[in-house]
Amino acid sequence: MSPRAPDLSTPYALAAERKSDYRRDGHVVLRALATAAEVEHFRPALLEGAEASRFERRPLAERDTYGRAFLQMFNLWRQNEVARNFVFARRFAQVAAELMGVEGVRLYHDQALFKEPGGGATPWHQDQFYWPLETDRTITLWMPLVPTTPEMGVMTFASGSHELGHLGDFAIGDESQAEFDRLIEAKRLPRVAGEFFAPGDASFHSGWTLHSAPGNATQTMREVVTIIYFADGARVGPLDHPNRRFDRDAWLSGCEPGDLAAGPLNPILYSLRV
């Protein structure tokens, strides 16, 4: 008989000061959002889903800055039921809603972001540059599946940068790194570098929070799963550049600007009304 699956609907005791930290800084680290045993149970299915979704097969040397930063695999929840149960975890979604101060959240999408041994740095960027969502109530959970040291590429945040909103149309790359490095320096935004993460520790950051990560200087793959949430009731925003048009087609299929952002790939994962 296979062991019973962990119950990821059980609540996490989110301290009021962690909510205040998130709203002030645009990011927060929560220890043991999942236990090591819970991560160990779900990790094989998440790895299976990531491999099934992988499209990048070129050697590191043949890729550009973006391609060297990480292997990016989407929609693990659609690959197998166990991965789905992890991505749809009510515990994670409830924390996302509480940090943002909203009644409910929908899934935007999940992704595996695996930084290979010798993988390059992730340049400074704002996630919400890519998202055609007409709301600032967006948040990303970032959770390693293995013990992760700063040398493996733990994220660095520019605290308070979420308050500045949209800072320009810069996709992840050399230009975003140079532009945002100058902006962070000019505005004297604190740079908060990541520390050690145990499996199940998680960071959360706002869609407008500037963040980056160093390269992976170890011989161990940095295995990270992210889940992106947005406030239930948000509407689709302008499709004003190719990245947002791509995202609409990929994750908000059938939705037009002004419509509720509620496509078939955007289930409600937590709501006070349910």
Side-chain angles (χ1 to χ4, degrees):
M1 181 181 295
S2 59
R4 179 180 298 177
D7 182 4
L8 294 182
S9 68
T10 57
Y12 179 87
L14 182 62
E17 63 181 317
R18 297 284 80 80
K19 299 178 191 178
S20 298
D21 291 344
Y22 172 78
R23 292 168 194 176
R24 180 193 66 231
D25 299 332
H27 61 91
V28 70
V29 173
L30 302 179
R31 300 297 179 184
L33 179 60
T35 67
E38 288 170 339
V39 173
E40 183 179 2
H41 173 86
F42 287 100
R43 180 172 173 261
L46 293 167
L47 294 181
E48 177 186 318
E51 183 59 29
S53 305
R54 181 175 173 177
F55 58 87
E56 178 61 84
R57 301 286 177 179
R58 296 172 297 168
L60 279 168
E62 295 180 10
R63 305 180 209 163
D64 61 10
T65 298
Y66 187 104
R68 289 192 296 272
F70 40 63
L71 294 172
Q72 187 174 30
M73 292 78 82
F74 301 108
N75 287 357
L76 309 187
W77 71 271
R78 303 186 74 188
Q79 297 299 328
N80 62 73
E81 187 69 17
V82 177
R84 180 186 184 278
N85 290 340
F86 182 87
V87 172
F88 282 27
R90 179 178 172 87
R91 182 193 307 163
F92 303 164
Q94 181 173 353
V95 167
E98 290 181 0
L99 287 171
M100 291 193 290
V102 301
E103 291 189 347
V105 294
R106 289 181 178 270
L107 176 67
Y108 187 51
H109 67 79
D110 71 69
Q111 56 189 349
L113 293 177
F114 289 4
K115 195 178 284 283
E116 300 151 283
T122 306
W124 287 111
H125 64 283
Q126 293 181 298
D127 292 340
Q128 199 156 335
F129 157 74
Y130 291 93
W131 304 340
L133 293 169
E134 206 163 56
T135 178
D136 61 358
R137 294 297 189 264
T138 61
I139 195 168
T140 297
L141 174 156
W142 187 95
M143 181 183 287
L145 305 179
V146 295
T148 302
T149 65
E151 294 77 19
M152 293 166 68
V154 175
M155 286 201 296
T156 296
F157 297 102
S159 286
S161 55
H162 64 305
E163 297 284 5
L164 303 176
H166 179 217
L167 293 172
D169 290 340
F170 298 102
I172 299 172
D174 297 332
E175 186 180 13
S176 73
Q177 175 66 24
E179 181 66 27
F180 291 139
D181 209 32
R182 285 194 295 269
L183 183 146
I184 291 165
E185 194 69 29
K187 294 190 175 296
R188 299 183 180 179
L189 298 173
R191 303 177 192 227
V192 179
E195 301 178 359
F196 173 80
F197 275 66
D201 290 345
S203 71
F204 286 82
H205 64 272
S206 167
W208 290 125
T209 301
L210 285 168
H211 57 286
S212 64
N216 185 352
T218 75
Q219 294 303 307
T220 302
M221 179 79 82
R222 188 204 73 179
E223 298 175 10
V224 166
V225 170
T226 75
I227 307 171
I228 304 165
Y229 309 88
F230 63 90
D232 182 30
R235 294 188 178 274
V236 179
L239 306 177
D240 49 0
H241 56 68
N243 294 283
R244 287 182 177 162
R245 290 193 290 274
F246 174 89
D247 265 35
R248 189 283 302 271
D249 293 346
W251 292 294
L252 295 165
S253 178
C255 299
E256 297 296 334
D259 291 349
L260 284 172
L265 301 182
N266 313 116
I268 296 173
L269 298 186
Y270 171 77
S271 177
L272 289 174
R273 298 186 291 272
V274 176

